[in-house]
């Protein structure tokens, strides 16, 4: 894999894009190193030379996607808001923006949620909880808890928000989707949750 990392971004990107597209469309088991090689413009032996195994390529992609997503969030802009739900909206806009720009990343992420192959299940089981924890830490602050009604479990709220965001992201895989409408509906839902879960004095 070190040989691949030494390549220029111009040479790496077609391979990464082809692999993301193939795994995202077919899942791990049905994804073919031959198809990835053909669509990326390199030979199949060269692809194995770079990554060793299909599993190592999949692992590389999972780490690559994680890095791209983390870099997409501008923490200073998120932290500029005192309210949890406003931070969630700002972070969601950033996420929607990067997923719109990189549709193959979106489809790969969705495929990771649905992956069941034993060869890579350890990778997905590690990555997904980490993604959820990152999302929580990105927007949640200790002082947010006091704003919620006494009966509200904030951990349940955050998990619901995470799953809801993933659901909306899933809709974006449909090329016919209206991104503006999806974003508007997501933000409307977030405001609705805020109005129902916050204590009156914080509305």
């Amino acid at each position: 894999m070190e040989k691949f990392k030494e390549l220029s971004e111009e040479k790496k990107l077609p391979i990464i894009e082809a692999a993301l597209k193939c795994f995202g469309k077919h899942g791990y088991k049905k994804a073919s190193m031959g198809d990835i090689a053909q669509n990326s413009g390199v030979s199949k032996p060269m692809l194995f030379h770079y990554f060793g195994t299909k599993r190592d390529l999949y692992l590389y992609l999972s780490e690559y996607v994680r890095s791209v997503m983390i870099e997409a969030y501008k923490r200073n802009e998120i932290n500029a808001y005192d309210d949890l739900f406003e931070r969630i909206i700002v972070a969601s806009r950033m996420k929607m923006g990067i997923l719109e720009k990189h549709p193959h990343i979106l489809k790969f992420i969705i495929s990771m949620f649905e992956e069941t192959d034993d060869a890579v299940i350890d990778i997905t089981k590690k990555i997904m909880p980490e993604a959820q924890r990152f999302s929580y830490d990105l927007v949640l602050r200790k002082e947010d808890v006091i704003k919620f009604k006494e009966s509200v479990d904030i951990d349940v709220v955050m998990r619901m928000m995470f799953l809801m965001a993933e659901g909306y992201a899933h809709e974006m895989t449909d090329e016919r989707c209206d991104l503006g409408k999806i974003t508007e509906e997501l933000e409307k839902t977030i405001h609705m949750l805020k109005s129902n879960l916050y204590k009156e004095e914080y509305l």
Side-chain angles (χ1 to χ4, degrees):
M1 201 176 297
E2 292 304 315
K3 291 291 185 182
F4 179 75
K5 292 179 180 178
E6 292 173 1
L7 296 176
S8 66
E9 289 299 314
E10 185 180 0
K11 290 184 178 180
K12 284 193 293 187
L13 196 56
I15 298 173
I16 291 171
E17 288 290 309
L20 287 172
K21 183 178 180 180
C22 191
F23 283 118
K25 182 177 181 180
H26 301 293
Y28 179 79
K29 187 174 184 177
K30 293 183 179 180
S32 163
M33 292 290 273
D35 287 344
I36 294 171
Q38 183 176 3
N39 291 318
S40 64
V42 302
S43 67
K44 186 176 176 180
M46 184 58 71
L47 194 61
F48 277 107
H49 173 70
Y50 286 145
F51 295 100
T53 67
K54 184 168 78 166
R55 185 183 187 280
D56 285 336
L57 172 56
Y58 189 90
L59 176 60
Y60 173 84
L61 292 176
S62 69
E63 294 172 346
Y64 170 81
V65 167
R66 179 178 180 273
S67 176
V68 170
M69 294 307 299
I70 288 175
E71 290 177 6
Y73 295 106
K74 299 177 177 61
R75 286 184 177 271
N76 60 326
E77 293 183 21
I78 295 171
N79 291 333
Y81 292 86
D82 295 328
D83 183 70
L84 168 63
F85 288 100
E86 292 301 327
R87 290 194 294 271
I88 291 174
I89 288 175
V90 172
S92 296
R93 289 173 182 169
M94 292 176 182
K95 181 176 182 177
M96 291 292 193
I98 197 68
L99 292 180
E100 182 185 22
K101 185 178 179 181
H102 300 283
H104 296 322
I105 285 182
L106 172 57
K107 291 181 180 179
F108 180 76
I109 292 173
I110 296 299
S111 74
M112 288 186 77
F113 273 105
E114 300 171 347
E115 187 58 67
T116 58
D117 196 293
D118 289 340
V120 293
I121 200 69
D122 61 314
I123 297 174
T124 59
K125 282 187 174 180
K126 180 176 183 292
I127 290 290
M128 292 308 163
E130 287 180 353
Q132 184 170 321
R133 176 47 55 192
F134 173 79
S135 298
Y136 291 5
D137 293 342
L138 184 68
V139 297
L140 187 61
R141 307 290 177 265
K142 290 181 179 179
E143 56 269 24
D144 294 323
V145 179
I146 195 173
K147 297 179 180 180
F148 286 86
K149 295 176 181 177
E150 299 299 335
S151 60
V152 174
D153 185 333
I154 195 167
D155 289 331
V156 173
V157 173
M158 292 303 297
R159 175 163 171 74
M160 179 176 63
M161 295 293 297
F162 178 81
L163 293 174
M164 184 177 70
E166 294 306 319
Y168 278 110
H170 198 296
E171 286 192 14
M172 290 173 62
T173 61
D174 186 342
E175 295 178 358
R176 299 167 298 176
C177 77
D178 184 334
L179 180 61
K181 185 176 180 181
I182 289 176
T183 303
E184 182 181 349
E185 184 178 328
L186 173 61
E187 294 183 11
K188 183 178 179 180
T189 304
I190 292 172
H191 285 300
M192 181 179 67
L193 287 171
K194 176 179 177 178
S195 65
N196 282 276
L197 299 176
Y198 267 12
K199 296 173 183 174
E200 188 69 30
E201 59 267 33
Y202 293 107
L203 293 175

